[in-house]
Amino acid sequence: KLPTMKMLLSLIALLSAALLTNAAPPTCYSRVLSLSKEITESFKELQTSKAVDSCVEMLPRLYLDIHNYCVLAKLRDFVAYPRCERVIEVSDLKEKVRSLYTIMISYCRRDLVFLTDDCSALENPILPPIEPS
């Protein structure tokens, strides 16, 4: 019974350590990174949704690279886009974009490092090739 008890205690210790690791508060960088991914996914879903208004096709392209200084202008432009106010999904997306912008310029201003200021890279991103399944 003793080896089983030691194994059980080891397992409990390992699971406790895993829970503590996941409970750590997010850093500014991790929050910005996760929110930008969430926004990108929401934008892709919005573009492919059949239930949305035709104005969605006219929305500014929303490819986000938080390491590119031009992303700040991209976020401002998207929030300021005058159309699609009556489409709930667009309004929700604009709220997320506004939150990301605020986090980047206020809370995380000193924590972020911009590696480039290539604005055209946000308009025509070079995406990794899609591997065949």
Side-chain angles (χ1 to χ4, degrees):
K1 281 191 167 188
L2 193 55
T4 307
M5 186 61 103
K6 280 186 177 181
M7 210 160 75
L8 183 60
L9 287 174
S10 296
L11 181 61
I12 290 171
L14 182 65
L15 290 173
S16 298
L19 285 173
L20 286 175
T21 303
N22 289 337
T27 63
C28 254
Y29 178 75
S30 66
R31 179 66 183 130
V32 166
L33 193 59
S34 68
L35 188 53
S36 69
K37 287 180 181 178
E38 184 181 325
I39 289 169
T40 301
E41 287 303 311
S42 294
F43 183 70
K44 285 179 186 175
E45 288 173 14
L46 187 62
Q47 286 184 312
T48 58
S49 174
K50 304 219 183 315
V52 297
D53 199 277
S54 62
C55 72
V56 171
E57 296 171 6
M58 305 304 288
L59 283 171
R61 188 179 177 133
L62 196 56
Y63 170 73
L64 302 180
D65 175 1
I66 62 164
H67 301 105
N68 186 334
Y69 185 74
C70 293
V71 76
L72 295 173
K74 174 68 91 177
L75 295 171
R76 276 192 313 266
D77 290 348
F78 190 83
V79 170
Y81 189 73
R83 297 191 183 148
C84 298
E85 291 92 12
R86 57 189 166 86
V87 179
I88 302 266
E89 295 88 349
V90 174
S91 296
D92 292 346
L93 184 57
K94 282 185 176 187
E95 243 349 273
K96 286 182 188 176
V97 170
R98 187 178 288 110
S99 293
L100 178 60
Y101 181 79
T102 302
I103 291 169
M104 289 181 76
I105 65 164
S106 298
Y107 306 110
C108 299
R109 186 180 65 226
R110 291 183 190 96
D111 296 342
L112 297 178
V113 175
F114 297 106
L115 304 175
T116 182
D117 61 351
D118 181 4
C119 296
S120 66
L122 295 177
E123 295 303 318
N124 302 305
I126 300 172
L127 300 173
I130 299 171
E131 297 191 21
S133 322

